[in-house]
Amino acid sequence: MAKNTYKQDEVLEEPFDIKHLLRASSYIKKYAKRMVFAILLSGIGGASGYVAPMIIQRALDLAIPEKNERLLFSLVGMLVGIYLVSVIFTTIRSRIMVDVSQSIIYDIRKDLFAHLQELPFQYYDDRPHGKILIRVVNYVNSVSDMLSNGLINIVLESFNLLFIVIFMFLVDVQMAFVVLCGVPVLCVFMVWIKNKQRRAWQAVSNKNSNLNAYLQENIVGARITQIFAREDENAEIFKDLSKDCRRTWNTAVRYSNLVWPGIDSISVCVRAAIFLSGLILFGQGNKSVGTIVAISSYASYFWQPIMNLGNIFNNFINNIAYLERIFETMDEPVTVKDAKDAVEMPKIRGEVTFDHVNFSYDASKQILNDVSFTVKPGESVALVGPTGAGKSTIVNLISRFYNVNGGRVLIDGQDISQVTIHSLREQMGIMMQDSFIFSGDIEDNIRYGKLDATHEEIVKASRTVCADEFISKMPDRYQTEVRERGSMLSQGQKQLISFARTLLSDPAILILDEATSSIDVQTEKALQTGLNAMLKGRTSFIIAHRLSTIRNCDKIMYIDNGGIMESGTHDELMAKKGHYYKLYTAQLDEVQKAG
């Protein structure tokens, strides 16, 4: 999936080819027996229906002229029986295919979601989330019908055509060839319109994706929109994106709407040719009225499956663009994954080593350049420095959210690129600046760190980090429902819940990335006891904006210019009067001025 914003159309990495359909067949194979059964039911119902014109021919040429009432009633009874068989079989087939279609949706969506779970942070950093979301929901819904009912209908309509042609030739060979004269004209028409349709529906896909990306971004940022009174400007942007959707949709539909009138026009011309040729031959006494009526009926039947195939083709072209994008997402490489010979990470003691590590998010800027350091088990390390220096990058590499470009990251002497990601991360606790809260109750949000935790364990963890005090005052205490992203909670409350979640998981290595930034000073002082309990016996990495909170760390590293500029205790670095000293005194001056 190409990197872009809501303002840019997505560009497919490769053109569509037959491999996409062959790949899609893997989702059909497991339901092949049920689909074949559905085809048989429809085939029997359809084939029986094509006997009707021959019955009508016998009624017109034999029963009615000879006034044979017994034969006429028998023929009418046969017509009723054929109709009932067709209705019953079609109903059963529809029920089967609804279930198959929903099963295919489930399978594709499950695989797509599982792949998205494995993609690295970089993937989500570079792309609008709305463009990812539309692939999992809208596109999968669209292609599922094509992969189930669409393919079955192609088979059925093809068989229908075969049956109709056979019956036409059984009735009259000459008149059957008149009907088939329109096929070459149809082939030329369909080839002409195919490419135009595909390009038009790809444009629709692009514009819908852009609109969805902007809508998702605007909903998430609704508060910022209102704070800065951006409602009118945002409405204009949304209006322009909606106009693009309407314009491309109208263009695509114009091409799609040409299919049915085109086929219908060819059908009308062919039926006119039937009556003209039939009238000439009838005048010579070579054709009966029953034959002309029967062939005319078969001609109508003949063009019906062709029109149906045209509509299926229409839908097929529309959905190819969606199928391309679904598989493009599935083909997005999982750059951070287990090595083939990866082993389980043993119980972590806590020694962390960076061995000549190099890292960059892209080729334009090197973030870390030949960084080396070792942290002993149980040590607390503070990372300080200017914004964008690489502090968060270091802790992200320890958690292996990104792969290093060069060098190694080792824990207890084990290269983390050679252990399974799950066994590594399950022994780590990570607190980010943006504390994410899931919709549900508070207890479930805390239990996210340890799914088998008891209520007592959850309360104990909450008390340790000073979260129990505000939770106990809520309407339903730990069973209080919180909305998506914790919108009913303050930022400080969300962070305290995240602290409890992290502590409950009992990590061997603890990472706090600006984890106390949204907690007021008074609460932070109360929390300090809990933090000390969390840090005790664990290797910890702390990134904090307020430098007063990291004075007691065993080691402080000043990060800038792609490396470690200074390292030592608070007192050692203050005595040096270098980068850390300047940063600390400047912040101290600001606090004193504010006081």
Side-chain angles (χ1 to χ4, degrees), residues 174-225:
Q174 289 177 317
M175 300 295 283
F177 276 117
V178 173
V179 176
L180 294 178
C181 285
V183 173
V185 179
L186 176 66
C187 291
V188 172
F189 172 72
M190 296 305 285
V191 169
W192 172 77
I193 203 170
K194 177 178 73 71
N195 289 329
K196 293 183 179 295
Q197 273 188 294
R198 179 169 180 257
R199 285 194 295 269
W201 284 107
Q202 279 184 345
V204 170
S205 174
N206 284 335
K207 300 307 179 185
N208 282 335
S209 183
N210 292 347
L211 182 68
N212 197 70
Y214 184 71
L215 183 61
Q216 188 269 346
E217 181 182 279
N218 208 251
I219 290 172
V220 173
R223 290 185 178 183
I224 304 301
T225 297

Short mmCIF file of all heavy atoms in Angstrom, two decimals, residues 174-225:
data_model
loop_
_atom_site.label_atom_id
_atom_site.label_comp_id
_atom_site.label_asym_id
_atom_site.label_seq_id
_atom_site.Cartn_x
_atom_site.Cartn_y
_atom_site.Cartn_z
N GLN A 174 -31.88 -23.76 -38.83
CA GLN A 174 -31.73 -22.49 -39.57
C GLN A 174 -32.00 -21.28 -38.68
O GLN A 174 -31.22 -20.32 -38.64
CB GLN A 174 -32.68 -22.47 -40.77
CG GLN A 174 -32.28 -23.43 -41.89
CD GLN A 174 -33.29 -23.41 -43.01
OE1 GLN A 174 -34.51 -23.43 -42.78
NE2 GLN A 174 -32.79 -23.38 -44.25
N MET A 175 -33.11 -21.35 -37.94
CA MET A 175 -33.48 -20.22 -37.09
C MET A 175 -32.48 -20.05 -35.92
O MET A 175 -32.23 -18.94 -35.46
CB MET A 175 -34.89 -20.42 -36.52
CG MET A 175 -35.95 -20.54 -37.61
SD MET A 175 -36.14 -19.02 -38.57
CE MET A 175 -37.10 -18.04 -37.45
N ALA A 176 -31.89 -21.16 -35.46
CA ALA A 176 -30.89 -21.09 -34.39
C ALA A 176 -29.67 -20.30 -34.84
O ALA A 176 -29.12 -19.50 -34.07
CB ALA A 176 -30.49 -22.50 -33.96
N PHE A 177 -29.25 -20.50 -36.09
CA PHE A 177 -28.09 -19.76 -36.61
C PHE A 177 -28.39 -18.26 -36.73
O PHE A 177 -27.50 -17.42 -36.58
CB PHE A 177 -27.66 -20.32 -37.97
CG PHE A 177 -26.76 -21.51 -37.85
CD1 PHE A 177 -27.14 -22.75 -38.33
CD2 PHE A 177 -25.51 -21.39 -37.26
CE1 PHE A 177 -26.31 -23.85 -38.22
CE2 PHE A 177 -24.67 -22.49 -37.15
CZ PHE A 177 -25.06 -23.72 -37.61
N VAL A 178 -29.64 -17.91 -36.99
CA VAL A 178 -30.02 -16.49 -37.04
C VAL A 178 -29.79 -15.84 -35.67
O VAL A 178 -29.26 -14.73 -35.57
CB VAL A 178 -31.50 -16.35 -37.46
CG1 VAL A 178 -31.94 -14.88 -37.34
CG2 VAL A 178 -31.71 -16.84 -38.89
N VAL A 179 -30.17 -16.57 -34.61
CA VAL A 179 -29.99 -16.04 -33.24
C VAL A 179 -28.51 -15.85 -32.93
O VAL A 179 -28.09 -14.84 -32.34
CB VAL A 179 -30.62 -17.00 -32.21
CG1 VAL A 179 -30.34 -16.51 -30.78
CG2 VAL A 179 -32.12 -17.13 -32.45
N LEU A 180 -27.67 -16.80 -33.36
CA LEU A 180 -26.24 -16.76 -33.02
C LEU A 180 -25.46 -15.69 -33.79
O LEU A 180 -24.31 -15.40 -33.45
CB LEU A 180 -25.61 -18.13 -33.29
CG LEU A 180 -26.10 -19.28 -32.40
CD1 LEU A 180 -25.43 -20.59 -32.80
CD2 LEU A 180 -25.84 -18.98 -30.93
N CYS A 181 -26.07 -15.10 -34.81
CA CYS A 181 -25.38 -14.07 -35.59
C CYS A 181 -25.01 -12.83 -34.76
O CYS A 181 -24.10 -12.08 -35.12
CB CYS A 181 -26.25 -13.64 -36.77
SG CYS A 181 -26.28 -14.86 -38.11
N GLY A 182 -25.74 -12.61 -33.66
CA GLY A 182 -25.46 -11.41 -32.85
C GLY A 182 -24.27 -11.57 -31.91
O GLY A 182 -23.78 -10.58 -31.35
N VAL A 183 -23.76 -12.80 -31.73
CA VAL A 183 -22.68 -13.04 -30.76
C VAL A 183 -21.39 -12.31 -31.12
O VAL A 183 -20.76 -11.69 -30.25
CB VAL A 183 -22.44 -14.56 -30.60
CG1 VAL A 183 -21.22 -14.83 -29.72
CG2 VAL A 183 -23.68 -15.22 -29.99
N PRO A 184 -20.89 -12.35 -32.37
CA PRO A 184 -19.66 -11.63 -32.69
C PRO A 184 -19.74 -10.13 -32.39
O PRO A 184 -18.77 -9.53 -31.93
CB PRO A 184 -19.47 -11.88 -34.19
CG PRO A 184 -20.22 -13.14 -34.47
CD PRO A 184 -21.39 -13.10 -33.54
N VAL A 185 -20.92 -9.54 -32.67
CA VAL A 185 -21.10 -8.12 -32.38
C VAL A 185 -20.96 -7.85 -30.89
O VAL A 185 -20.32 -6.88 -30.46
CB VAL A 185 -22.49 -7.65 -32.88
CG1 VAL A 185 -22.69 -6.16 -32.57
CG2 VAL A 185 -22.63 -7.92 -34.36
N LEU A 186 -21.54 -8.74 -30.08
CA LEU A 186 -21.46 -8.60 -28.63
C LEU A 186 -20.02 -8.69 -28.14
O LEU A 186 -19.59 -7.92 -27.27
CB LEU A 186 -22.31 -9.68 -27.96
CG LEU A 186 -22.24 -9.72 -26.44
CD1 LEU A 186 -22.86 -8.46 -25.85
CD2 LEU A 186 -22.92 -10.96 -25.89
N CYS A 187 -19.25 -9.62 -28.67
CA CYS A 187 -17.85 -9.80 -28.26
C CYS A 187 -17.02 -8.53 -28.49
O CYS A 187 -16.24 -8.11 -27.62
CB CYS A 187 -17.22 -10.98 -29.01
SG CYS A 187 -17.91 -12.58 -28.54
N VAL A 188 -17.21 -7.91 -29.65
CA VAL A 188 -16.49 -6.67 -29.96
C VAL A 188 -16.86 -5.58 -28.96
O VAL A 188 -15.99 -4.85 -28.45
CB VAL A 188 -16.80 -6.21 -31.40
CG1 VAL A 188 -16.20 -4.83 -31.67
CG2 VAL A 188 -16.26 -7.22 -32.41
N PHE A 189 -18.14 -5.48 -28.65
CA PHE A 189 -18.63 -4.46 -27.71
C PHE A 189 -18.04 -4.65 -26.32
O PHE A 189 -17.58 -3.70 -25.68
CB PHE A 189 -20.16 -4.52 -27.66
CG PHE A 189 -20.77 -3.65 -26.59
CD1 PHE A 189 -20.78 -2.27 -26.70
CD2 PHE A 189 -21.34 -4.23 -25.46
CE1 PHE A 189 -21.33 -1.48 -25.72
CE2 PHE A 189 -21.91 -3.44 -24.47
CZ PHE A 189 -21.90 -2.07 -24.61
N MET A 190 -18.01 -5.90 -25.81
CA MET A 190 -17.53 -6.17 -24.45
C MET A 190 -16.02 -5.92 -24.32
O MET A 190 -15.55 -5.43 -23.29
CB MET A 190 -17.86 -7.61 -24.05
CG MET A 190 -19.35 -7.90 -23.96
SD MET A 190 -20.25 -6.78 -22.85
CE MET A 190 -19.74 -7.40 -21.26
N VAL A 191 -15.27 -6.26 -25.34
CA VAL A 191 -13.82 -6.00 -25.31
C VAL A 191 -13.55 -4.50 -25.25
O VAL A 191 -12.66 -4.03 -24.53
CB VAL A 191 -13.13 -6.61 -26.55
CG1 VAL A 191 -11.70 -6.11 -26.67
CG2 VAL A 191 -13.15 -8.13 -26.46
N TRP A 192 -14.33 -3.73 -25.98
CA TRP A 192 -14.15 -2.27 -26.02
C TRP A 192 -14.40 -1.64 -24.65
O TRP A 192 -13.68 -0.74 -24.21
CB TRP A 192 -15.10 -1.66 -27.05
CG TRP A 192 -15.14 -0.16 -27.02
CD1 TRP A 192 -14.22 0.71 -27.52
CD2 TRP A 192 -16.15 0.66 -26.41
NE1 TRP A 192 -14.58 2.01 -27.28
CE2 TRP A 192 -15.77 2.02 -26.59
CE3 TRP A 192 -17.33 0.39 -25.73
CZ2 TRP A 192 -16.54 3.08 -26.13
CZ3 TRP A 192 -18.09 1.45 -25.26
CH2 TRP A 192 -17.70 2.77 -25.46
N ILE A 193 -15.42 -2.12 -23.95
CA ILE A 193 -15.83 -1.45 -22.71
C ILE A 193 -15.06 -1.93 -21.48
O ILE A 193 -15.02 -1.25 -20.44
CB ILE A 193 -17.35 -1.63 -22.49
CG1 ILE A 193 -17.88 -0.50 -21.60
CG2 ILE A 193 -17.69 -2.99 -21.90
CD1 ILE A 193 -19.40 -0.44 -21.52
N LYS A 194 -14.41 -3.09 -21.55
CA LYS A 194 -13.78 -3.70 -20.38
C LYS A 194 -12.76 -2.78 -19.71
O LYS A 194 -12.84 -2.50 -18.51
CB LYS A 194 -13.12 -5.03 -20.77
CG LYS A 194 -12.36 -5.71 -19.63
CD LYS A 194 -11.77 -7.02 -20.08
CE LYS A 194 -10.59 -6.84 -21.00
NZ LYS A 194 -9.38 -6.33 -20.31
N ASN A 195 -11.76 -2.31 -20.45
CA ASN A 195 -10.69 -1.51 -19.86
C ASN A 195 -11.21 -0.17 -19.33
O ASN A 195 -10.74 0.34 -18.30
CB ASN A 195 -9.59 -1.27 -20.89
CG ASN A 195 -8.80 -2.54 -21.16
OD1 ASN A 195 -8.66 -3.38 -20.28
ND2 ASN A 195 -8.30 -2.67 -22.38
N LYS A 196 -12.16 0.42 -20.04
CA LYS A 196 -12.72 1.69 -19.59
C LYS A 196 -13.42 1.52 -18.23
O LYS A 196 -13.30 2.38 -17.36
CB LYS A 196 -13.71 2.24 -20.62
CG LYS A 196 -13.05 2.65 -21.94
CD LYS A 196 -14.07 3.23 -22.89
CE LYS A 196 -13.42 3.67 -24.19
NZ LYS A 196 -12.45 4.78 -24.02
N GLN A 197 -14.13 0.40 -18.09
CA GLN A 197 -14.81 0.15 -16.82
C GLN A 197 -13.82 -0.04 -15.68
O GLN A 197 -14.00 0.52 -14.59
CB GLN A 197 -15.67 -1.11 -16.94
CG GLN A 197 -17.06 -0.86 -17.49
CD GLN A 197 -17.89 -2.11 -17.38
OE1 GLN A 197 -17.59 -3.10 -18.03
NE2 GLN A 197 -18.92 -2.06 -16.57
N ARG A 198 -12.79 -0.82 -15.91
CA ARG A 198 -11.83 -1.12 -14.84
C ARG A 198 -11.17 0.17 -14.34
O ARG A 198 -11.06 0.40 -13.14
CB ARG A 198 -10.78 -2.10 -15.33
CG ARG A 198 -9.73 -2.43 -14.26
CD ARG A 198 -8.86 -3.60 -14.69
NE ARG A 198 -7.88 -3.88 -13.65
CZ ARG A 198 -6.60 -3.54 -13.70
NH1 ARG A 198 -6.14 -2.89 -14.76
NH2 ARG A 198 -5.77 -3.84 -12.74
N ARG A 199 -10.74 1.02 -15.28
CA ARG A 199 -10.10 2.28 -14.88
C ARG A 199 -11.08 3.19 -14.13
O ARG A 199 -10.71 3.84 -13.15
CB ARG A 199 -9.54 3.00 -16.11
CG ARG A 199 -8.26 2.37 -16.65
CD ARG A 199 -7.58 3.32 -17.63
NE ARG A 199 -8.40 3.52 -18.82
CZ ARG A 199 -8.33 2.79 -19.93
NH1 ARG A 199 -7.46 1.78 -19.98
NH2 ARG A 199 -9.08 3.05 -20.96
N ALA A 200 -12.32 3.20 -14.59
CA ALA A 200 -13.33 4.05 -13.96
C ALA A 200 -13.61 3.59 -12.53
O ALA A 200 -13.71 4.41 -11.61
CB ALA A 200 -14.62 4.04 -14.77
N TRP A 201 -13.71 2.29 -12.30
CA TRP A 201 -14.01 1.80 -10.96
C TRP A 201 -12.80 1.86 -10.04
O TRP A 201 -12.94 1.97 -8.82
CB TRP A 201 -14.58 0.39 -11.02
CG TRP A 201 -16.02 0.42 -11.46
CD1 TRP A 201 -16.52 0.06 -12.67
CD2 TRP A 201 -17.14 0.89 -10.70
NE1 TRP A 201 -17.88 0.28 -12.73
CE2 TRP A 201 -18.28 0.78 -11.52
CE3 TRP A 201 -17.29 1.39 -9.41
CZ2 TRP A 201 -19.55 1.16 -11.09
CZ3 TRP A 201 -18.55 1.76 -8.98
CH2 TRP A 201 -19.66 1.63 -9.81
N GLN A 202 -11.60 1.83 -10.59
CA GLN A 202 -10.41 2.06 -9.77
C GLN A 202 -10.42 3.51 -9.25
O GLN A 202 -10.04 3.76 -8.11
CB GLN A 202 -9.14 1.80 -10.58
CG GLN A 202 -8.76 0.33 -10.66
CD GLN A 202 -7.45 0.12 -11.38
OE1 GLN A 202 -6.96 1.02 -12.07
NE2 GLN A 202 -6.90 -1.07 -11.26
N ALA A 203 -10.85 4.43 -10.10
CA ALA A 203 -10.94 5.83 -9.68
C ALA A 203 -11.96 5.99 -8.56
O ALA A 203 -11.74 6.73 -7.59
CB ALA A 203 -11.32 6.72 -10.87
N VAL A 204 -13.08 5.27 -8.65
CA VAL A 204 -14.09 5.30 -7.59
C VAL A 204 -13.49 4.78 -6.28
O VAL A 204 -13.68 5.36 -5.21
CB VAL A 204 -15.32 4.44 -7.98
CG1 VAL A 204 -16.26 4.27 -6.79
CG2 VAL A 204 -16.06 5.08 -9.14
N SER A 205 -12.75 3.68 -6.39
CA SER A 205 -12.09 3.10 -5.21
C SER A 205 -11.15 4.10 -4.56
O SER A 205 -11.12 4.27 -3.33
CB SER A 205 -11.33 1.83 -5.61
OG SER A 205 -10.58 1.34 -4.54
N ASN A 206 -10.37 4.81 -5.38
CA ASN A 206 -9.42 5.81 -4.87
C ASN A 206 -10.14 6.92 -4.10
O ASN A 206 -9.75 7.30 -3.00
CB ASN A 206 -8.63 6.42 -6.02
CG ASN A 206 -7.56 5.49 -6.54
OD1 ASN A 206 -7.08 4.62 -5.82
ND2 ASN A 206 -7.17 5.67 -7.78
N LYS A 207 -11.18 7.47 -4.72
CA LYS A 207 -11.86 8.62 -4.12
C LYS A 207 -12.63 8.22 -2.85
O LYS A 207 -12.68 8.98 -1.88
CB LYS A 207 -12.82 9.27 -5.13
CG LYS A 207 -12.12 9.78 -6.39
CD LYS A 207 -10.95 10.70 -6.09
CE LYS A 207 -10.26 11.19 -7.34
NZ LYS A 207 -9.05 11.99 -7.04
N ASN A 208 -13.22 7.03 -2.84
CA ASN A 208 -13.89 6.56 -1.63
C ASN A 208 -12.90 6.34 -0.50
O ASN A 208 -13.18 6.62 0.67
CB ASN A 208 -14.64 5.25 -1.91
CG ASN A 208 -15.96 5.48 -2.62
OD1 ASN A 208 -16.55 6.55 -2.52
ND2 ASN A 208 -16.42 4.49 -3.36
N SER A 209 -11.73 5.84 -0.86
CA SER A 209 -10.67 5.63 0.13
C SER A 209 -10.22 6.96 0.72
O SER A 209 -10.04 7.09 1.94
CB SER A 209 -9.49 4.90 -0.52
OG SER A 209 -8.48 4.64 0.42
N ASN A 210 -10.05 7.98 -0.13
CA ASN A 210 -9.66 9.31 0.35
C ASN A 210 -10.71 9.89 1.30
O ASN A 210 -10.39 10.45 2.34
CB ASN A 210 -9.47 10.27 -0.84
CG ASN A 210 -8.27 9.89 -1.70
OD1 ASN A 210 -7.45 9.08 -1.30
ND2 ASN A 210 -8.19 10.49 -2.87
N LEU A 211 -11.97 9.75 0.91
CA LEU A 211 -13.07 10.27 1.73
C LEU A 211 -13.11 9.58 3.08
O LEU A 211 -13.26 10.22 4.13
CB LEU A 211 -14.40 10.08 1.00
CG LEU A 211 -15.65 10.61 1.71
CD1 LEU A 211 -15.62 12.13 1.77
CD2 LEU A 211 -16.92 10.14 1.01
N ASN A 212 -12.95 8.26 3.07
CA ASN A 212 -12.98 7.49 4.31
C ASN A 212 -11.81 7.88 5.22
O ASN A 212 -11.96 7.99 6.45
CB ASN A 212 -12.92 6.00 4.00
CG ASN A 212 -13.37 5.15 5.17
OD1 ASN A 212 -14.54 5.12 5.52
ND2 ASN A 212 -12.42 4.46 5.79
N ALA A 213 -10.63 8.10 4.62
CA ALA A 213 -9.45 8.50 5.39
C ALA A 213 -9.67 9.84 6.09
O ALA A 213 -9.36 10.01 7.26
CB ALA A 213 -8.22 8.57 4.49
N TYR A 214 -10.22 10.80 5.34
CA TYR A 214 -10.46 12.12 5.93
C TYR A 214 -11.54 12.07 7.00
O TYR A 214 -11.44 12.71 8.05
CB TYR A 214 -10.86 13.13 4.85
CG TYR A 214 -11.02 14.53 5.40
CD1 TYR A 214 -9.91 15.27 5.80
CD2 TYR A 214 -12.28 15.10 5.57
CE1 TYR A 214 -10.04 16.54 6.34
CE2 TYR A 214 -12.42 16.37 6.11
CZ TYR A 214 -11.30 17.08 6.49
OH TYR A 214 -11.44 18.34 7.04
N LEU A 215 -12.59 11.28 6.76
CA LEU A 215 -13.68 11.16 7.71
C LEU A 215 -13.18 10.57 9.03
O LEU A 215 -13.50 11.07 10.12
CB LEU A 215 -14.79 10.28 7.13
CG LEU A 215 -16.05 10.10 7.97
CD1 LEU A 215 -16.72 11.45 8.20
CD2 LEU A 215 -17.01 9.15 7.27
N GLN A 216 -12.38 9.52 8.94
CA GLN A 216 -11.84 8.89 10.16
C GLN A 216 -10.95 9.87 10.93
O GLN A 216 -11.05 9.99 12.14
CB GLN A 216 -11.06 7.63 9.77
CG GLN A 216 -10.62 6.77 10.93
CD GLN A 216 -9.25 7.12 11.47
OE1 GLN A 216 -8.50 7.84 10.83
NE2 GLN A 216 -8.93 6.64 12.66
N GLU A 217 -10.10 10.58 10.19
CA GLU A 217 -9.19 11.54 10.81
C GLU A 217 -9.98 12.66 11.48
O GLU A 217 -9.65 13.11 12.58
CB GLU A 217 -8.27 12.12 9.74
CG GLU A 217 -7.26 13.13 10.25
CD GLU A 217 -6.40 13.68 9.13
OE1 GLU A 217 -5.43 13.00 8.73
OE2 GLU A 217 -6.72 14.77 8.63
N ASN A 218 -11.05 13.11 10.83
CA ASN A 218 -11.84 14.23 11.36
C ASN A 218 -12.64 13.83 12.59
O ASN A 218 -12.82 14.64 13.50
CB ASN A 218 -12.78 14.74 10.26
CG ASN A 218 -13.10 16.22 10.43
OD1 ASN A 218 -14.21 16.57 10.78
ND2 ASN A 218 -12.11 17.08 10.19
N ILE A 219 -13.13 12.58 12.62
CA ILE A 219 -13.87 12.11 13.79
C ILE A 219 -12.95 12.02 15.00
O ILE A 219 -13.28 12.46 16.10
CB ILE A 219 -14.53 10.75 13.51
CG1 ILE A 219 -15.68 10.92 12.50
CG2 ILE A 219 -15.05 10.11 14.79
CD1 ILE A 219 -16.26 9.62 12.00
N VAL A 220 -11.75 11.45 14.80
CA VAL A 220 -10.78 11.34 15.89
C VAL A 220 -10.37 12.73 16.39
O VAL A 220 -10.18 12.94 17.59
CB VAL A 220 -9.54 10.54 15.44
CG1 VAL A 220 -8.46 10.56 16.52
CG2 VAL A 220 -9.93 9.10 15.13
N GLY A 221 -10.24 13.69 15.46
CA GLY A 221 -9.79 15.04 15.83
C GLY A 221 -10.91 16.02 16.00
O GLY A 221 -10.71 17.24 15.86
N ALA A 222 -12.13 15.53 16.32
CA ALA A 222 -13.30 16.42 16.42
C ALA A 222 -13.11 17.52 17.46
O ALA A 222 -13.53 18.67 17.26
CB ALA A 222 -14.54 15.59 16.75
N ARG A 223 -12.47 17.19 18.58
CA ARG A 223 -12.27 18.20 19.62
C ARG A 223 -11.36 19.32 19.14
O ARG A 223 -11.61 20.50 19.40
CB ARG A 223 -11.68 17.54 20.87
CG ARG A 223 -12.65 16.62 21.59
CD ARG A 223 -12.05 16.10 22.88
NE ARG A 223 -13.01 15.25 23.59
CZ ARG A 223 -12.76 14.70 24.78
NH1 ARG A 223 -11.61 14.94 25.38
NH2 ARG A 223 -13.67 13.95 25.36
N ILE A 224 -10.28 18.94 18.44
CA ILE A 224 -9.34 19.94 17.93
C ILE A 224 -10.04 20.83 16.91
O ILE A 224 -9.83 22.05 16.86
CB ILE A 224 -8.11 19.27 17.29
CG1 ILE A 224 -7.44 18.33 18.31
CG2 ILE A 224 -7.11 20.31 16.79
CD1 ILE A 224 -6.96 19.02 19.57
N THR A 225 -10.90 20.22 16.09
CA THR A 225 -11.66 20.99 15.09
C THR A 225 -12.47 22.08 15.76
O THR A 225 -12.48 23.24 15.32
CB THR A 225 -12.60 20.05 14.30
OG1 THR A 225 -11.82 19.11 13.58
CG2 THR A 225 -13.48 20.84 13.34
#
